[in-house]
Amino acid sequence: MSHVSSHSPHGQSPLRTVQVLGGGSAGSSAHVRSLASGLVARGVRVTVCAPAEADLAYGFSGVGAQHFPVPRSSDPAAVAALRVACADADLVHAHGLHAALRAALALSGRRTPLVVTWHTRSHAEGARAHLLRLLERRVVRAAAVVLGSSSDLVDRARRRGARDARLAAVAFPTPRKAVEYGDPDRLRHKARAELGAIDRPLLMAVGSLDRHRGYDTLLDASRAWRSLDPVPLLVIAGEGPLRAALQRRIEDEELPVRLVGRREDVSELLLASDLAVLPSAWESRSVLAQEALHARVPLVATAVGGIPELVGDAAELVPCADADALAAAVVRLLGDDDRRELLKERGVRQAATWPTEDETVAQVLSVYDELTQTRPLA
């Protein structure tokens, strides 16, 4: 595959880029690490501005980028630190709304081009929803190019007044295969034993315990499969503000559900599962959906945001907030071996259509080149 070069034929100095991360969701942090690695390999200088703990978790320095610690708040000190980090940048690339707002403030009065990638959508209600719209408008108007990780995010950026909004190629950093850890069957058995699902179907949901994740609907649906024999166990991996309320419901209603908190071994737990469930009110490029299709685990998901575009015909899609439809899809799939096998095959096919890390870097680099063609000679 041919690569756009970061070096101009006229002896320009290497392109200097700054990648800005905000709170740094798992998806955007992994994307920035992958991007930094590919850009450095192509001769681009990369500085990653992110909280210190993000560099520890994702190892930006380990792939040849310079890490510049910037706190994740929008206070003047954080913006001032960012201004210093961006002082000699040819281009700044911010990931997420809050990172983009800080980058826009830091670049104010400078001609440095700003690229913004929207990986997901912020959620707000009432007065906060109005404020969120204003922030989105401010950010997309400051950006030379907005890249959206799903088509509906591109449409949203255009509605907010983006001059140039495009669909981003976002690679899924493939998780390590279970084979690397040893015998997959033994590992599957070990994970199921730990979760208490040796002789019963295991369902897996992953994600922060927030309102827009649809866990209330999922718990409603879990009532319906209590009548199955054996009763499936639903395991939810993630942490968040709804933990206590969800736990109370599980106990009060005696639901076949376990909250296991934030886990580092989600890939292995997923490989041990019979089904993955994604009940969110909105998602762009869900990491769980991608991991499930990669791992040949049949997926039941809500038909929202970027999900239909991402999974194609390789998952059972149900309406959002419809517990009956969700329960029916799970019960039907658990009872239909052929359908599960078909979804596994389709999942592998669908995953092969997603952008590779190489394609992702090439797209970003071509955007950078467009925006920096008039750079001075070295």
Side-chain angles (χ1 to χ4, degrees), residues 339-357:
R339 176 73 182 160
R340 289 201 310 277
E341 281 306 312
L342 178 65
L343 287 180
K344 287 177 187 180
E345 295 309 318
R346 285 180 176 174
V348 172
R349 260 206 317 275
Q350 182 68 12
T353 69
W354 298 333
T356 62
E357 294 193 67

Side-chain angles (χ1 to χ4, degrees), residues 19 55 66 88 106 144 176 190 314:
Q19 307 288 325
D55 188 44
Q66 182 187 358
D88 65 347
R176 293 183 295 174
K190 182 170 168 280

Side-chain angles (χ1 to χ4, degrees), residues 35-338:
L35 209 51
S37 176
L39 290 170
V40 167
R42 288 164 180 76
V44 176
R45 277 179 46 194
V46 179
T47 299
V48 178
C49 291
E53 62 269 23
D55 188 44
L56 284 174
Y58 290 92
F60 308 119
S61 315
V63 296
Q66 182 187 358
H67 173 246
F68 191 101
V70 175
R72 59 164 53 101
S73 66
S74 285
D75 66 34
V79 173
L82 209 47
R83 246 185 117 70
V84 171
C86 297
D88 65 347
D90 296 306
L91 178 140
V92 175
H93 188 165
H95 300 263
L97 182 65
H98 295 288
L101 179 65
R102 288 206 291 280
L105 291 170
L107 293 175
S108 139
R110 295 181 183 171
R111 298 174 62 94
T112 314
L114 175 64
V115 176
V116 171
T117 297
W118 275 0
H119 295 269
T120 185
R121 198 180 88 183
S122 299
H123 298 266
E125 284 152 30
R128 286 175 62 82
H130 175 66
L131 179 63
L132 183 64
R133 269 198 304 279
L134 292 176
L135 283 184
E136 289 178 342
R137 201 170 295 146
R138 167 85 171 79
V139 158
V140 302
R141 289 181 177 176
V145 174
V146 178
L147 298 170
S149 65
S150 59
S151 296
D152 65 322
L153 284 175
V154 175
D155 294 341
R156 188 182 179 91
R158 286 182 182 142
R159 285 198 306 275
R160 296 288 184 260
R163 286 170 283 172
D164 184 343
R166 315 176 191 181
L167 188 62
V170 177
F172 167 57
T174 314
R176 293 183 295 174
K177 297 283 183 286
V179 181
E180 290 181 26
Y181 304 99
D183 172 18
D185 288 336
R186 192 180 60 76
L187 286 158
R188 180 180 161 88
H189 184 80
K190 182 170 168 280
R192 292 177 76 101
E194 187 220 322
L195 296 169
I198 289 290
D199 298 316
R200 59 196 294 199
L202 178 61
L203 316 180
M204 188 81 199
V206 181
S208 54
L209 308 182
D210 295 313
R211 278 182 61 183
H212 69 275
R213 294 286 185 176
Y215 289 128
D216 272 327
T217 305
L218 187 53
L219 293 194
D220 290 345
S222 75
R223 290 187 195 136
W225 59 70
R226 280 188 300 195
S227 58
L228 297 180
D229 182 25
V231 178
L233 174 66
L234 168 66
V235 168
I236 301 175
E239 213 37 273
L242 292 187
R243 169 125 196 182
L246 294 172
Q247 188 61 50
R248 206 160 39 242
R249 270 198 68 186
I250 291 165
E251 289 166 14
D252 291 350
E253 300 169 38
E254 298 183 350
L255 301 174
V257 180
R258 276 190 66 188
L259 304 180
V260 295
R262 192 177 278 115
R263 300 281 296 228
E264 298 300 318
D265 58 347
V266 164
S267 300
E268 295 96 286
L269 296 185
L270 196 55
L271 282 165
S273 307
D274 297 290
L275 291 183
V277 193
L278 183 64
S280 302
W282 191 87
E283 292 274 354
S284 54
R285 292 185 74 81
S286 156
V287 174
L288 174 69
Q290 294 176 82
E291 286 210 326
L293 268 57
H294 254 288
R296 294 175 53 85
V297 177
L299 173 70
V300 178
T302 41
V304 295
I307 295 286
E309 177 180 44
L310 180 70
V311 302
D313 65 355
E316 292 286 349
L317 295 180
V318 297
C320 179
D322 187 335
D324 292 341
L326 183 58
V330 166
V331 171
R332 193 170 58 244
L333 261 186
L334 286 175
D336 188 341
D337 295 350
D338 291 345

